[in-house]
Amino acid sequence: MTSRILTTPLEPWAALADFERQRFAGSAAHGASAVFVGTMRDLNEGDEVHGMILEHYPGMTDGYLERLREEAAKRWELLETLVLHRVGELNPGDPIVLVAVWSAHRTAAFDACRWIMEELKSRAPFWKRETLAQGSRWVEHNTPG
Amino acid sequence: MTSRILTTPLEPWAALADFERQRFAGSAAHGASAVFVGTMRDLNEGDEVHGMILEHYPGMTDGYLERLREEAAKRWELLETLVLHRVGELNPGDPIVLVAVWSAHRTAAFDACRWIMEELKSRAPFWKRETLAQGSRWVEHNTPG
Amino acid sequence: MSISVRYFARLREQLGRSGDELDAEGIRTPADAWARANGGDTLPANTLVAVNQDYASLDSTVRDGDEIAFFPPVTGG
Amino acid sequence: MSISVRYFARLREQLGRSGDELDAEGIRTPADAWARANGGDTLPANTLVAVNQDYASLDSTVRDGDEIAFFPPVTGG
């Protein structure tokens, strides 16, 4: 069970391969893994976006992601959970967030992955500032989905 | 948009990294990807499972997976879909199936990934035969989730 | 011409063969094909049917040259 | 001792500073801390409050040594 704030590029597929090698070597208990990756788009609210700065509340983000994982582990039977979130400067196409859940069965994996992702988007203390062709702006609200 | 039956080991994270390199190089339109990986467990219905043979109906599986992807593309706004499914001899811990969906937004990605996976499990012509400590048996029905 | 019949998984094992080639004469549905190929043996409950690699019902129409498949509930994924 | 106040994102920019160190005397709630630090300025609508890095309400109890944070709706993920 790991959550981490990254200041360097997030490479979701390499991170997943590494994590599985460490946590599941020789094990065949996980029948299902569900993964979500959120990536920076080059378009938001009709405007071209050239870059982004992701601010966060150090200390609170770590604690909040940790609590999300604990709460998910109470609600569903999970074998492992991995949550990675970028902060700092990002470019369009850069992955922002990875949520991965391993379980014996697929319903728990799907449900827990989605629940963590929705909670993270609505409650974890991160803020996006977008760089446009002219100037920059704070993102006002998250898309509902 | 790709679906493929594999007779050799499925490496989900490497396959995803390759696929993204080919399909999304220089693009930043996909804000969301949802992925499901099903893996062979070493336990089923209370029995230790030592191996598995996955039989399929060549021709029909290809066509059926293709139709699933087309149907998903009608229901949701998707940018890409990747479906990979193993056949032949598998060992516990071996990935069986990968369903990955890329979209601008997360709701479409989550919903389409889960829908494809459920349809695949209930309708795609694959059959599992498990090797136990003594003898082997056909899996009778899929877990509902 | 003829009609190809294919069997998969447990059904293939139970019948001891993976298919039959039937003379198309008198075969209008998958049910006809089953009866011709397997005599009085009842089709096992829950058996699924495909015609030309597409799900179909036992009483759908088949033509000379078609491929009919019978198989148990699927268990992939 | 004292109470630390922190501001994030748009609110930090609007206020022109990322935090304040307040004398704990007379501060019993996050609302008290906001009033002390920002005089008559109204707390912007939708501002979220955390005490010791945990979500809290404006009228929750704070103690000497606590860290209070004010920030706009979150937009991560």
mmCIF file of all heavy atoms in Angstrom, chain A residues 55 57 59-60 67 85 97 121-124 126-129 138-140 142, chain D residues 6 8-10 12-13 50 53-55 67 69 71-77:
data_model
loop_
_atom_site.group_PDB
_atom_site.id
_atom_site.type_symbol
_atom_site.label_atom_id
_atom_site.label_comp_id
_atom_site.label_asym_id
_atom_site.label_seq_id
_atom_site.Cartn_x
_atom_site.Cartn_y
_atom_site.Cartn_z
ATOM 1 N N GLU A 55 0.009 22.991 -7.600
ATOM 2 C CA GLU A 55 0.369 23.338 -6.220
ATOM 3 C C GLU A 55 -0.299 22.334 -5.289
ATOM 4 O O GLU A 55 -1.334 21.767 -5.627
ATOM 5 C CB GLU A 55 -0.147 24.758 -5.941
ATOM 6 C CG GLU A 55 0.161 25.270 -4.542
ATOM 7 C CD GLU A 55 -0.214 26.748 -4.355
ATOM 8 O OE1 GLU A 55 -0.212 27.510 -5.350
ATOM 9 O OE2 GLU A 55 -0.514 27.124 -3.206
ATOM 10 N N TYR A 57 -0.655 21.071 -0.786
ATOM 11 C CA TYR A 57 -0.470 21.415 0.615
ATOM 12 C C TYR A 57 0.361 20.282 1.224
ATOM 13 O O TYR A 57 -0.180 19.271 1.668
ATOM 14 C CB TYR A 57 -1.850 21.513 1.277
ATOM 15 C CG TYR A 57 -1.899 21.885 2.740
ATOM 16 C CD1 TYR A 57 -3.132 22.102 3.349
ATOM 17 C CD2 TYR A 57 -0.761 22.028 3.538
ATOM 18 C CE1 TYR A 57 -3.241 22.438 4.694
ATOM 19 C CE2 TYR A 57 -0.857 22.368 4.872
ATOM 20 C CZ TYR A 57 -2.087 22.565 5.446
ATOM 21 O OH TYR A 57 -2.181 22.902 6.783
ATOM 22 N N GLY A 59 2.222 17.683 3.327
ATOM 23 C CA GLY A 59 1.812 17.190 4.648
ATOM 24 C C GLY A 59 0.357 16.792 4.612
ATOM 25 O O GLY A 59 0.003 15.644 4.848
ATOM 26 N N MET A 60 -0.508 17.728 4.219
ATOM 27 C CA MET A 60 -1.917 17.356 4.156
ATOM 28 C C MET A 60 -2.199 16.415 2.986
ATOM 29 O O MET A 60 -2.991 15.479 3.110
ATOM 30 C CB MET A 60 -2.830 18.573 4.077
ATOM 31 C CG MET A 60 -4.297 18.177 4.065
ATOM 32 S SD MET A 60 -5.446 19.525 4.416
ATOM 33 C CE MET A 60 -7.021 18.742 4.011
ATOM 34 N N ARG A 67 -5.199 8.367 3.992
ATOM 35 C CA ARG A 67 -6.507 8.083 4.573
ATOM 36 C C ARG A 67 -7.467 7.508 3.527
ATOM 37 O O ARG A 67 -8.276 6.633 3.824
ATOM 38 C CB ARG A 67 -7.093 9.364 5.174
ATOM 39 C CG ARG A 67 -7.970 9.064 6.381
ATOM 40 C CD ARG A 67 -8.245 10.322 7.179
ATOM 41 N NE ARG A 67 -7.006 11.071 7.378
ATOM 42 C CZ ARG A 67 -6.917 12.398 7.352
ATOM 43 N NH1 ARG A 67 -7.989 13.132 7.125
ATOM 44 N NH2 ARG A 67 -5.761 13.005 7.553
ATOM 45 N N HIS A 85 0.733 10.953 -7.427
ATOM 46 C CA HIS A 85 0.211 12.235 -7.921
ATOM 47 C C HIS A 85 1.361 13.199 -8.156
ATOM 48 O O HIS A 85 2.202 13.374 -7.294
ATOM 49 C CB HIS A 85 -0.775 12.827 -6.906
ATOM 50 C CG HIS A 85 -1.714 13.831 -7.506
ATOM 51 N ND1 HIS A 85 -1.295 15.038 -8.018
ATOM 52 C CD2 HIS A 85 -3.055 13.794 -7.684
ATOM 53 C CE1 HIS A 85 -2.357 15.705 -8.481
ATOM 54 N NE2 HIS A 85 -3.435 14.970 -8.294
ATOM 55 N N VAL A 97 -1.943 11.792 -12.477
ATOM 56 C CA VAL A 97 -2.323 10.947 -11.350
ATOM 57 C C VAL A 97 -2.466 9.494 -11.799
ATOM 58 O O VAL A 97 -2.867 9.216 -12.936
ATOM 59 C CB VAL A 97 -3.647 11.459 -10.713
ATOM 60 C CG1 VAL A 97 -4.793 11.417 -11.712
ATOM 61 C CG2 VAL A 97 -4.012 10.676 -9.455
ATOM 62 N N LYS A 121 -10.229 13.655 -6.391
ATOM 63 C CA LYS A 121 -10.543 14.857 -7.169
ATOM 64 C C LYS A 121 -11.376 15.855 -6.382
ATOM 65 O O LYS A 121 -11.278 17.052 -6.604
ATOM 66 C CB LYS A 121 -11.287 14.489 -8.465
ATOM 67 C CG LYS A 121 -10.359 13.994 -9.565
ATOM 68 C CD LYS A 121 -11.018 13.980 -10.928
ATOM 69 C CE LYS A 121 -10.842 15.255 -11.703
ATOM 70 N NZ LYS A 121 -9.678 15.316 -12.584
ATOM 71 N N SER A 122 -12.220 15.361 -5.492
ATOM 72 C CA SER A 122 -13.103 16.315 -4.814
ATOM 73 C C SER A 122 -12.528 16.807 -3.494
ATOM 74 O O SER A 122 -12.971 17.832 -2.988
ATOM 75 C CB SER A 122 -14.490 15.693 -4.602
ATOM 76 O OG SER A 122 -14.392 14.571 -3.766
ATOM 77 N N ARG A 123 -11.509 16.105 -2.935
ATOM 78 C CA ARG A 123 -11.063 16.466 -1.590
ATOM 79 C C ARG A 123 -9.560 16.646 -1.398
ATOM 80 O O ARG A 123 -9.149 17.331 -0.461
ATOM 81 C CB ARG A 123 -11.543 15.385 -0.601
ATOM 82 C CG ARG A 123 -13.037 15.160 -0.601
ATOM 83 C CD ARG A 123 -13.778 16.053 0.363
ATOM 84 N NE ARG A 123 -13.495 15.712 1.747
ATOM 85 C CZ ARG A 123 -13.862 16.452 2.798
ATOM 86 N NH1 ARG A 123 -14.518 17.593 2.602
ATOM 87 N NH2 ARG A 123 -13.575 16.083 4.023
ATOM 88 N N ALA A 124 -8.735 16.023 -2.213
ATOM 89 C CA ALA A 124 -7.286 16.110 -1.955
ATOM 90 C C ALA A 124 -6.777 17.514 -2.310
ATOM 91 O O ALA A 124 -7.109 18.058 -3.364
ATOM 92 C CB ALA A 124 -6.538 15.042 -2.750
ATOM 93 N N PHE A 126 -4.941 19.666 -3.915
ATOM 94 C CA PHE A 126 -4.112 20.027 -5.068
ATOM 95 C C PHE A 126 -4.835 21.138 -5.832
ATOM 96 O O PHE A 126 -6.071 21.143 -5.884
ATOM 97 C CB PHE A 126 -3.961 18.843 -6.035
ATOM 98 C CG PHE A 126 -3.229 17.659 -5.472
ATOM 99 C CD1 PHE A 126 -3.936 16.594 -4.937
ATOM 100 C CD2 PHE A 126 -1.848 17.601 -5.506
ATOM 101 C CE1 PHE A 126 -3.266 15.479 -4.437
ATOM 102 C CE2 PHE A 126 -1.175 16.498 -5.008
ATOM 103 C CZ PHE A 126 -1.883 15.432 -4.468
ATOM 104 N N TRP A 127 -4.059 22.013 -6.451
ATOM 105 C CA TRP A 127 -4.657 23.085 -7.253
ATOM 106 C C TRP A 127 -3.872 23.251 -8.540
ATOM 107 O O TRP A 127 -2.640 23.291 -8.532
ATOM 108 C CB TRP A 127 -4.635 24.415 -6.488
ATOM 109 C CG TRP A 127 -5.383 24.334 -5.207
ATOM 110 C CD1 TRP A 127 -6.719 24.531 -5.009
ATOM 111 C CD2 TRP A 127 -4.832 24.000 -3.915
ATOM 112 N NE1 TRP A 127 -7.042 24.341 -3.685
ATOM 113 C CE2 TRP A 127 -5.908 24.014 -2.988
ATOM 114 C CE3 TRP A 127 -3.564 23.691 -3.449
ATOM 115 C CZ2 TRP A 127 -5.733 23.737 -1.629
ATOM 116 C CZ3 TRP A 127 -3.381 23.409 -2.111
ATOM 117 C CH2 TRP A 127 -4.461 23.434 -1.213
ATOM 118 N N LYS A 128 -4.626 23.393 -9.636
ATOM 119 C CA LYS A 128 -4.000 23.533 -10.953
ATOM 120 C C LYS A 128 -4.005 24.990 -11.402
ATOM 121 O O LYS A 128 -5.029 25.666 -11.349
ATOM 122 C CB LYS A 128 -4.799 22.721 -11.979
ATOM 123 C CG LYS A 128 -4.664 21.224 -11.829
ATOM 124 C CD LYS A 128 -5.630 20.499 -12.754
ATOM 125 C CE LYS A 128 -5.464 18.989 -12.626
ATOM 126 N NZ LYS A 128 -6.669 18.263 -13.091
ATOM 127 N N ARG A 129 -2.861 25.429 -11.883
ATOM 128 C CA ARG A 129 -2.782 26.729 -12.533
ATOM 129 C C ARG A 129 -2.332 26.507 -13.970
ATOM 130 O O ARG A 129 -1.266 25.955 -14.212
ATOM 131 C CB ARG A 129 -1.786 27.621 -11.802
ATOM 132 C CG ARG A 129 -1.779 28.996 -12.344
ATOM 133 C CD ARG A 129 -0.724 29.880 -11.729
ATOM 134 N NE ARG A 129 -0.931 31.184 -12.291
ATOM 135 C CZ ARG A 129 -1.458 32.207 -11.641
ATOM 136 N NH1 ARG A 129 -1.723 32.103 -10.377
ATOM 137 N NH2 ARG A 129 -1.695 33.342 -12.262
ATOM 138 N N TRP A 138 -6.003 30.108 -12.571
ATOM 139 C CA TRP A 138 -6.292 28.984 -11.697
ATOM 140 C C TRP A 138 -7.483 28.222 -12.256
ATOM 141 O O TRP A 138 -8.469 28.842 -12.677
ATOM 142 C CB TRP A 138 -6.634 29.470 -10.280
ATOM 143 C CG TRP A 138 -5.429 30.031 -9.594
ATOM 144 C CD1 TRP A 138 -5.093 31.345 -9.462
ATOM 145 C CD2 TRP A 138 -4.386 29.275 -8.974
ATOM 146 N NE1 TRP A 138 -3.897 31.466 -8.804
ATOM 147 C CE2 TRP A 138 -3.439 30.202 -8.483
ATOM 148 C CE3 TRP A 138 -4.145 27.923 -8.787
ATOM 149 C CZ2 TRP A 138 -2.281 29.815 -7.820
ATOM 150 C CZ3 TRP A 138 -2.990 27.532 -8.121
ATOM 151 C CH2 TRP A 138 -2.071 28.463 -7.646
ATOM 152 N N VAL A 139 -7.402 26.921 -12.263
ATOM 153 C CA VAL A 139 -8.572 26.127 -12.645
ATOM 154 C C VAL A 139 -9.598 26.300 -11.526
ATOM 155 O O VAL A 139 -9.262 26.198 -10.348
ATOM 156 C CB VAL A 139 -8.178 24.645 -12.843
ATOM 157 C CG1 VAL A 139 -9.413 23.796 -13.105
ATOM 158 C CG2 VAL A 139 -7.194 24.521 -14.006
ATOM 159 N N GLU A 140 -10.828 26.612 -11.913
ATOM 160 C CA GLU A 140 -11.843 26.985 -10.924
ATOM 161 C C GLU A 140 -12.535 25.796 -10.286
ATOM 162 O O GLU A 140 -12.893 25.802 -9.125
ATOM 163 C CB GLU A 140 -12.909 27.869 -11.585
ATOM 164 C CG GLU A 140 -12.437 29.270 -11.872
ATOM 165 C CD GLU A 140 -12.115 30.043 -10.597
ATOM 166 O OE1 GLU A 140 -12.959 30.040 -9.687
ATOM 167 O OE2 GLU A 140 -11.021 30.620 -10.503
ATOM 168 N N ASN A 142 -13.174 21.297 -10.757
ATOM 169 C CA ASN A 142 -12.916 20.051 -11.457
ATOM 170 C C ASN A 142 -14.127 19.639 -12.270
ATOM 171 O O ASN A 142 -15.256 19.896 -11.881
ATOM 172 C CB ASN A 142 -12.590 18.956 -10.449
ATOM 173 C CG ASN A 142 -11.101 18.686 -10.400
ATOM 174 O OD1 ASN A 142 -10.430 18.751 -11.418
ATOM 175 N ND2 ASN A 142 -10.593 18.393 -9.221
ATOM 176 N N ARG D 6 -2.098 29.209 7.095
ATOM 177 C CA ARG D 6 -1.526 29.037 5.759
ATOM 178 C C ARG D 6 -2.596 29.267 4.693
ATOM 179 O O ARG D 6 -3.770 28.960 4.898
ATOM 180 C CB ARG D 6 -0.934 27.619 5.614
ATOM 181 C CG ARG D 6 0.078 27.337 6.723
ATOM 182 C CD ARG D 6 0.717 25.991 6.563
ATOM 183 N NE ARG D 6 1.538 25.942 5.340
ATOM 184 C CZ ARG D 6 2.284 24.904 4.988
ATOM 185 N NH1 ARG D 6 2.282 23.820 5.744
ATOM 186 N NH2 ARG D 6 2.996 24.929 3.891
ATOM 187 N N PHE D 8 -3.422 28.917 0.387
ATOM 188 C CA PHE D 8 -2.957 28.222 -0.821
ATOM 189 C C PHE D 8 -3.629 28.736 -2.095
ATOM 190 O O PHE D 8 -4.735 29.285 -2.063
ATOM 191 C CB PHE D 8 -3.196 26.717 -0.704
ATOM 192 C CG PHE D 8 -2.296 26.072 0.305
ATOM 193 C CD1 PHE D 8 -2.729 25.862 1.609
ATOM 194 C CD2 PHE D 8 -0.990 25.711 -0.020
ATOM 195 C CE1 PHE D 8 -1.899 25.299 2.553
ATOM 196 C CE2 PHE D 8 -0.146 25.147 0.925
ATOM 197 C CZ PHE D 8 -0.602 24.935 2.215
ATOM 198 N N ALA D 9 -2.928 28.532 -3.213
ATOM 199 C CA ALA D 9 -3.452 28.723 -4.562
ATOM 200 C C ALA D 9 -3.976 30.150 -4.758
ATOM 201 O O ALA D 9 -3.293 31.120 -4.384
ATOM 202 C CB ALA D 9 -4.513 27.665 -4.862
ATOM 203 N N ARG D 10 -5.156 30.292 -5.336
ATOM 204 C CA ARG D 10 -5.672 31.616 -5.646
ATOM 205 C C ARG D 10 -5.750 32.505 -4.399
ATOM 206 O O ARG D 10 -5.464 33.716 -4.457
ATOM 207 C CB ARG D 10 -7.054 31.500 -6.288
ATOM 208 C CG ARG D 10 -7.701 32.848 -6.558
ATOM 209 C CD ARG D 10 -9.182 32.701 -6.837
ATOM 210 N NE ARG D 10 -9.435 32.107 -8.129
ATOM 211 C CZ ARG D 10 -9.408 32.786 -9.276
ATOM 212 N NH1 ARG D 10 -9.139 34.079 -9.278
ATOM 213 N NH2 ARG D 10 -9.652 32.169 -10.406
ATOM 214 N N ARG D 12 -3.898 32.436 -1.723
ATOM 215 C CA ARG D 12 -2.534 32.891 -1.398
ATOM 216 C C ARG D 12 -2.148 34.085 -2.268
ATOM 217 O O ARG D 12 -1.603 35.083 -1.768
ATOM 218 C CB ARG D 12 -1.565 31.717 -1.627
ATOM 219 C CG ARG D 12 -0.083 32.079 -1.541
ATOM 220 C CD ARG D 12 0.832 30.874 -1.719
ATOM 221 N NE ARG D 12 0.598 30.117 -2.940
ATOM 222 C CZ ARG D 12 0.882 30.537 -4.162
ATOM 223 N NH1 ARG D 12 1.433 31.739 -4.334
ATOM 224 N NH2 ARG D 12 0.620 29.802 -5.211
ATOM 225 N N GLU D 13 -2.488 33.976 -3.575
ATOM 226 C CA GLU D 13 -2.156 35.076 -4.478
ATOM 227 C C GLU D 13 -2.943 36.338 -4.163
ATOM 228 O O GLU D 13 -2.413 37.442 -4.203
ATOM 229 C CB GLU D 13 -2.430 34.663 -5.929
ATOM 230 C CG GLU D 13 -1.331 33.788 -6.493
ATOM 231 C CD GLU D 13 -1.451 33.651 -8.000
ATOM 232 O OE1 GLU D 13 -2.465 34.112 -8.575
ATOM 233 O OE2 GLU D 13 -0.527 33.092 -8.591
ATOM 234 N N ALA D 50 -8.812 23.762 6.945
ATOM 235 C CA ALA D 50 -8.219 22.574 7.560
ATOM 236 C C ALA D 50 -7.546 22.999 8.874
ATOM 237 O O ALA D 50 -6.993 24.097 8.966
ATOM 238 C CB ALA D 50 -7.196 21.926 6.640
ATOM 239 N N GLN D 53 -3.987 19.978 9.210
ATOM 240 C CA GLN D 53 -3.953 19.207 7.966
ATOM 241 C C GLN D 53 -5.105 18.205 7.845
ATOM 242 O O GLN D 53 -4.970 17.167 7.198
ATOM 243 C CB GLN D 53 -2.583 18.517 7.822
ATOM 244 C CG GLN D 53 -1.458 19.546 8.001
ATOM 245 C CD GLN D 53 -0.081 19.004 7.769
ATOM 246 O OE1 GLN D 53 0.114 17.788 7.770
ATOM 247 N NE2 GLN D 53 0.893 19.864 7.539
ATOM 248 N N ASP D 54 -6.217 18.584 8.452
ATOM 249 C CA ASP D 54 -7.414 17.757 8.381
ATOM 250 C C ASP D 54 -8.590 18.723 8.175
ATOM 251 O O ASP D 54 -8.648 19.768 8.819
ATOM 252 C CB ASP D 54 -7.573 17.024 9.719
ATOM 253 C CG ASP D 54 -8.274 15.695 9.554
ATOM 254 O OD1 ASP D 54 -8.824 15.435 8.469
ATOM 255 O OD2 ASP D 54 -8.263 14.934 10.537
ATOM 256 N N TYR D 55 -9.536 18.342 7.290
ATOM 257 C CA TYR D 55 -10.661 19.239 7.046
ATOM 258 C C TYR D 55 -11.389 19.567 8.345
ATOM 259 O O TYR D 55 -11.561 18.698 9.216
ATOM 260 C CB TYR D 55 -11.646 18.615 6.059
ATOM 261 C CG TYR D 55 -11.188 18.744 4.621
ATOM 262 C CD1 TYR D 55 -10.672 17.653 3.932
ATOM 263 C CD2 TYR D 55 -11.261 19.967 3.953
ATOM 264 C CE1 TYR D 55 -10.238 17.765 2.615
ATOM 265 C CE2 TYR D 55 -10.837 20.091 2.634
ATOM 266 C CZ TYR D 55 -10.333 18.993 1.961
ATOM 267 O OH TYR D 55 -9.909 19.119 0.673
ATOM 268 N N GLU D 67 -2.109 24.371 13.398
ATOM 269 C CA GLU D 67 -1.915 24.939 12.058
ATOM 270 C C GLU D 67 -3.277 25.007 11.370
ATOM 271 O O GLU D 67 -3.960 23.994 11.238
ATOM 272 C CB GLU D 67 -0.968 24.049 11.249
ATOM 273 C CG GLU D 67 -0.807 24.498 9.805
ATOM 274 C CD GLU D 67 0.216 23.638 9.050
ATOM 275 O OE1 GLU D 67 1.394 23.652 9.448
ATOM 276 O OE2 GLU D 67 -0.178 22.954 8.087
ATOM 277 N N ALA D 69 -5.391 26.106 7.898
ATOM 278 C CA ALA D 69 -5.201 26.440 6.480
ATOM 279 C C ALA D 69 -6.521 26.853 5.847
ATOM 280 O O ALA D 69 -7.576 26.304 6.165
ATOM 281 C CB ALA D 69 -4.615 25.247 5.725
ATOM 282 N N PHE D 71 -8.129 27.505 1.942
ATOM 283 C CA PHE D 71 -7.814 27.335 0.517
ATOM 284 C C PHE D 71 -9.073 27.180 -0.329
ATOM 285 O O PHE D 71 -10.127 26.793 0.181
ATOM 286 C CB PHE D 71 -6.847 26.165 0.311
ATOM 287 C CG PHE D 71 -7.203 24.878 1.013
ATOM 288 C CD1 PHE D 71 -8.182 24.036 0.517
ATOM 289 C CD2 PHE D 71 -6.527 24.500 2.181
ATOM 290 C CE1 PHE D 71 -8.480 22.826 1.150
ATOM 291 C CE2 PHE D 71 -6.834 23.299 2.832
ATOM 292 C CZ PHE D 71 -7.811 22.461 2.317
ATOM 293 N N PRO D 72 -8.952 27.470 -1.620
ATOM 294 C CA PRO D 72 -10.113 27.346 -2.524
ATOM 295 C C PRO D 72 -10.418 25.881 -2.821
ATOM 296 O O PRO D 72 -9.629 25.002 -2.488
ATOM 297 C CB PRO D 72 -9.664 28.070 -3.792
ATOM 298 C CG PRO D 72 -8.187 28.170 -3.726
ATOM 299 C CD PRO D 72 -7.762 28.003 -2.311
ATOM 300 N N PRO D 73 -11.587 25.628 -3.456
ATOM 301 C CA PRO D 73 -11.914 24.258 -3.849
ATOM 302 C C PRO D 73 -10.746 23.602 -4.587
ATOM 303 O O PRO D 73 -10.060 24.252 -5.367
ATOM 304 C CB PRO D 73 -13.123 24.442 -4.774
ATOM 305 C CG PRO D 73 -13.783 25.675 -4.252
ATOM 306 C CD PRO D 73 -12.651 26.577 -3.813
ATOM 307 N N VAL D 74 -10.546 22.320 -4.330
ATOM 308 C CA VAL D 74 -9.381 21.626 -4.878
ATOM 309 C C VAL D 74 -9.632 21.230 -6.339
ATOM 310 O O VAL D 74 -10.774 21.037 -6.765
ATOM 311 C CB VAL D 74 -9.037 20.384 -4.039
ATOM 312 C CG1 VAL D 74 -8.854 20.779 -2.572
ATOM 313 C CG2 VAL D 74 -10.108 19.310 -4.163
ATOM 314 N N THR D 75 -8.547 21.126 -7.111
ATOM 315 C CA THR D 75 -8.685 20.825 -8.544
ATOM 316 C C THR D 75 -7.611 19.851 -9.022
ATOM 317 O O THR D 75 -7.130 19.942 -10.154
ATOM 318 C CB THR D 75 -8.605 22.131 -9.370
ATOM 319 O OG1 THR D 75 -7.381 22.807 -9.039
ATOM 320 C CG2 THR D 75 -9.767 23.053 -9.066
ATOM 321 N N GLY D 76 -7.223 18.929 -8.162
ATOM 322 C CA GLY D 76 -6.202 17.953 -8.565
ATOM 323 C C GLY D 76 -6.792 16.786 -9.334
ATOM 324 O O GLY D 76 -7.938 16.795 -9.736
ATOM 325 N N GLY D 77 -5.954 15.788 -9.517
ATOM 326 C CA GLY D 77 -6.409 14.534 -10.136
ATOM 327 C C GLY D 77 -6.431 14.572 -11.644
ATOM 328 O O GLY D 77 -6.269 15.598 -12.249
#
